[in-house]
Amino acid sequence: MRTGGFIGSATLALVVGFASPAVAVAQETAAHAPKVAARAAYVVDSSGTVLFGKRETDRFPVASLVKVMTAYVVLREARLSDTITITSADVKYGSRGGATTAGLKPGERLTVRDLLYALLLPSAADAANALARRYGPGRTAFVAKMNQAARSLGLEDTRYTNTDGMPDPSPGHSTAVDQAKLAQHMLESSTFRTIVGTKVHTVAKSAVHRPHTWRNSNELLSRASGVLGVKTGYIKAAGYCLMFAGERSGEQVVGVLLNGSTSESRFATAERLLDYAGDRLAGR
């Protein structure tokens, strides 16, 4: 802003004792915005209107939100009908450090489609390793593809170090803005949208694998109407994270919460932010 001969509208309003219409709207919006305890938050609609922001460009670990990029690379590299044989290395990788697993066993053969459900619903590290092993091939090459994809999508403040967001070798980092961009892109995929909007996925027993039932860790699907998904995450370094999306007033609304204090608070906050977004969109 120039300092000579120009006073911004907000400053002018304070000087002369009244608020311009634009400032009044901004003040009213801020007054009605829900309180967000998470350290970072961002909500944007499909037309690009930013509906809420809090430290949205600060870098944080994002825990299992990393698996959304894992899914992105797999959907580019694989056919959904491809079959992958689970190895003991996949099972061992999944069981380390308290990671969530899909209960896979060595020798099972599952399709990429089913492994994506395992990756995105219970947030399974064993499935993540199996997919990276096949389509890197190997974890190192796969993570390189993830970072390449991040650059191509314009995620300038994002760096991946593994396929699952666990703190080994480090959790990497991203921002709420970058994760929202990724969510918007991924929701263009009907396959991804179907998977993350599914509450329970069952794989019937067959000659090549055991029966499996995987439940979505995203409780928002059962708590609010019009929810599309998308992904939960938690490690100690990242706190409780949530990437979420819903339909409100004819628009797709995408939000991201990073470094929340409790699992419950992220879902309750996301509900309030979706309602707030709906009110904003209905009134414009």
Side-chain angles (χ1 to χ4, degrees):
M1 181 178 72
R2 293 178 300 179
T3 55
F6 179 83
I7 302 177
S9 60
T11 305
L12 179 61
L14 291 173
V15 170
V16 301
F18 68 91
S20 70
V23 172
V25 170
Q27 290 172 341
E28 182 181 0
T29 297
H32 289 86
K35 293 188 183 301
V36 173
R39 291 181 68 193
Y42 184 66
V43 181
V44 62
D45 70 16
S46 49
S47 65
T49 301
V50 177
L51 301 169
F52 187 91
K54 174 185 176 181
R55 298 185 66 182
E56 64 270 24
T57 59
D58 288 1
R59 293 176 175 180
F60 293 95
V62 298
S64 286
L65 303 195
V66 163
K67 295 185 178 86
V68 175
M69 180 58 84
T70 301
Y72 174 83
V73 174
V74 170
L75 287 169
R76 292 184 66 188
E77 300 273 331
R79 293 186 298 268
L80 295 174
S81 59
D82 287 351
T83 301
I84 297 177
T85 301
I86 304 304
T87 67
S88 57
D90 299 327
V91 175
K92 183 178 179 181
Y93 181 88
S95 64
R96 87 217 185 291
T100 307
T101 77
L104 305 178
K105 299 295 182 184
E108 287 191 278
R109 294 173 57 200
L110 291 139
T111 65
V112 165
R113 184 188 297 275
D114 283 332
L115 287 174
L116 284 171
Y117 275 98
L119 177 77
L120 294 167
L121 269 62
S123 198
D126 45 2
N129 196 73
L131 290 164
R133 177 174 52 79
R134 173 72 173 270
Y135 295 107
R139 287 196 299 270
T140 300
F142 193 93
V143 172
K145 289 179 179 180
M146 293 169 71
N147 284 311
Q148 219 170 30
R151 290 192 294 273
S152 71
L153 293 172
L155 311 185
E156 298 178 358
D157 292 301
T158 297
R159 180 175 177 269
Y160 296 106
T161 60
N162 56 43
T163 61
D164 52 20
M166 292 294 286
D168 180 20
S170 72
H173 61 253
S174 188
T175 68
V177 168
D178 277 5
Q179 290 299 293
K181 286 181 186 176
L182 177 60
Q184 287 178 316
H185 183 84
M186 289 298 286
L187 287 166
E188 294 174 5
S189 162
S190 59
T191 298
F192 179 82
R193 213 171 150 124
T194 296
I195 292 172
V196 297
T198 300
K199 295 178 183 177
V200 180
H201 180 70
T202 299
V203 182
K205 182 179 179 179
S206 79
V208 295
H209 59 69
R210 301 160 58 241
H212 293 281
T213 299
W214 298 315
R215 289 176 170 78
N216 201 323
S217 59
N218 185 2
E219 296 177 15
L220 196 62
L221 287 165
S222 301
R223 295 176 59 147
S225 62
V227 174
L228 305 174
V230 285
K231 187 74 187 74
T232 63
Y234 172 78
I235 57 171
K236 186 175 180 181
Y240 290 92
C241 302
L242 181 65
M243 177 191 286
F244 61 95
E247 298 284 355
R248 291 293 183 273
S249 297
E251 295 268 9
Q252 177 180 281
V253 175
V254 167
V256 175
L257 297 169
L258 301 180
N259 208 271
S261 58
T262 68
S263 180
E264 164 60 25
S265 67
R266 61 181 163 178
F267 299 121
T269 300
E271 283 187 84
R272 291 195 299 269
L273 285 170
L274 283 173
D275 289 343
Y276 172 68
D279 291 344
R280 294 262 324 258
L281 292 171
R284 77 181 185 186

